[in-house]
Every structure is written in C-alpha cells, then in structure tokens.
Amino acid sequence: MSKLQKTDTQYRYKLIAIQFLKVTFLLLFMSLLTLLFTLNLQYNGTGTIIRNATGTTNIQTATGEAAFMAVSALIGASLIFFLLLKHKFTFIYLLFISSMFIVTFVALELHLTSLLNFNQINENILILMSLLLSLIIVYSVFINKNITINTIGLTFFVSITGSLLGIMFTDVQITLILLILSLYDIFTVTKGPLKKICLLYTSPSPRD
C-alpha cells in the first residue's frame, strides 16, 4: 500500500468514526429527551389517565389493536403507491405534513397539559401554544433546508410522540404491536406496496 493510499484509508476511517460518534450522540440525546418527556407525562397523573384509557393486558384486545395498525399501515402504503403512480407528489407532500402536524399537535397538547397544569392555564392559550410549537416542528422538518435544523426538529418529534406511545400501551400491547408490525414489514418489503414503490423507482424505464 502506497503512502497516498494509506492516507486515504486513514481519512475514510476518521470520517466513519466521526459519523458513528454523531449518530451515537444523537441516539443518546433522543433517548434522554424521550425519558424527560415521559417523566413529564407522569407529572400530575396525566400518564396514568392516558394509560387507563388506552392500555390493556387482554391478549385478544391487544392483538386486534396491533392488527388494526398493520392494516392501517398497509392501506396507507397502498395509497402512497397509487398517488406515486399518478404523480401526485404535491398531494403526498401535503399528506405527510398534515399527518405530522396533527400527531404533533395532539402529543404537545397532552405534554403541555401535564407540564403547565391544565387547571391553572387558559385552554385557548394551551391550544395556541401547541399550535405554534407544532408549526415550528413541522416547518423545521419539511420546509427548512438546513440539515441540522431538520435533524433537531425530527428528534423532538420522535421524542414527543415516542414518549406518548410508551405511556399509552402496556408491555403486552407493545410486544404484540412490535411482533405483528415486524411481520407486516417482512410482507410489505417482499410482496407489498413498499416493494412496488422501490421497483417503481429502481427498475429501468422501457426507453433505457
């Protein structure tokens, strides 16, 4: 190996190490942020109220919920594939934005209710704060062109929604959801709409 090749190899290893450290730090920060949001939901008993309303240890009920999620994901992926075939890219973009905004708004309202104590703050102010913060997160992820801001916005979105999901479901529900969604992932990648979407953009066109 020549000196130039050795230097190039060392440079590549250095880049890999830097990227590894960045990803590791991001995952640790995301985990810490999710933990803080989870603890916030437990404040004033908000998490307990949510768990009592959505949680279950009944295997049949939990299986039905997991199957419903898988079917919903399949319908959503099929819809995206259909829209791609029709070249409705703007509609897909707006669909992702609106979906993320709704999820973020609901999650933030629950978090702010727990943090600020709903009994001590005007409901309209709570809704306005949730609305503004949701718009900021959606803007940072979908509209802003800075990759660092994109990452920060996505990190907060994942932490906010992830902490809520952790509160909503029991261990039985989480286990069954992960199991059934894993089977769904295998299906959609090998036979389902996700495979068709990949083939749509990787297969050579007839003119090639």
Side-chain angles (χ1 to χ4, degrees), residues 155-178:
T155 299
F156 273 91
F157 170 75
V158 171
S159 299
I160 291 168
T161 54
S163 60
L164 182 60
L165 292 175
I167 289 291
M168 289 175 60
F169 300 125
T170 62
D171 293 340
V172 173
Q173 288 172 293
I174 292 174
T175 301
L176 289 171
I177 288 171
L178 291 176

Side-chain angles (χ1 to χ4, degrees), residues 7 12 25 28 35 69 92 96 99-100 137-138 152-154 158 187 205-206 208:
T7 302
R12 290 183 180 182
F25 173 78
L28 290 174
L35 176 61
M69 290 183 182
I92 295 173
F96 277 113
S99 299
M100 184 177 186
I137 290 176
V138 171
I152 293 173
L154 192 59
V158 171
F187 165 76
S205 62
D208 291 343

Side-chain angles (χ1 to χ4, degrees), residues 66-67 69-71 73 176-188:
M69 290 183 182
V71 172
L176 289 171
I177 288 171
L178 291 176
L179 176 61
I180 292 180
L181 288 183
S182 296
L183 295 175
Y184 162 77
D185 283 341
I186 295 173
F187 165 76
T188 193

Side-chain angles (χ1 to χ4, degrees), residues 27-41 111 155-156 158-164 166:
L27 291 175
L28 290 174
F29 176 73
M30 190 181 297
S31 300
L32 177 60
L33 201 58
T34 303
L35 176 61
L36 291 175
F37 280 122
T38 302
L39 292 175
N40 171 60
L41 285 174
H111 279 290
T155 299
F156 273 91
V158 171
S159 299
I160 291 168
T161 54
S163 60
L164 182 60

